[in-house]
Amino acid sequence: MIIHEFYYNNDNRTLYIEFSTDEDGDNFYRVLNIIFEDVEYYSPEIIVEEDMEDIDEDFVKELIAQYGKENNLPEEKTL
């Protein structure tokens, strides 16, 4: 999995993630918007909103993996 971009928007309390599921440099990516309550639910560790500024790529990958166990990942888009 490749994380292209991620950021937390404090105004609408949403984590925006652009990622690819294949690491071979394909031309597709997915966009996932997760509200903070869902971040708490799928998070691999206990997290509070103040910590969202400090999350790293490994955290985001684990979050996507947990999310994908219970939900379909978003459709692929072309780069």
Side-chain angles (χ1 to χ4, degrees), residues 53-64:
E53 295 176 12
D54 299 325
I55 62 173
D56 61 11
E57 195 170 297
D58 290 334
F59 175 89
V60 173
K61 286 180 179 180
E62 290 179 32
L63 184 69
I64 294 169

Side-chain angles (χ1 to χ4, degrees), residues 1-6 16-22 26 28-34 60-61 64-65 67 73-77 79:
M1 179 179 304
I2 298 172
I3 305 299
H4 297 287
E5 178 181 10
F6 68 92
Y16 174 87
I17 307 167
E18 282 185 15
F19 66 101
S20 297
T21 54
D22 294 324
D26 66 3
F28 299 99
Y29 71 101
R30 300 168 192 258
V31 174
L32 187 58
N33 285 299
I34 306 177
V60 173
K61 286 180 179 180
I64 294 169
Y67 179 88
L73 292 177
E75 293 295 317
E76 291 182 327
K77 298 180 180 186
L79 283 174

Side-chain angles (χ1 to χ4, degrees), residues 36-53:
F36 179 71
E37 288 77 9
D38 287 342
V39 171
E40 284 181 305
Y41 180 78
Y42 295 112
S43 173
E45 56 195 58
I46 296 173
I47 190 163
V48 293
E49 196 163 5
E50 292 77 27
D51 294 339
M52 292 301 293
E53 295 176 12

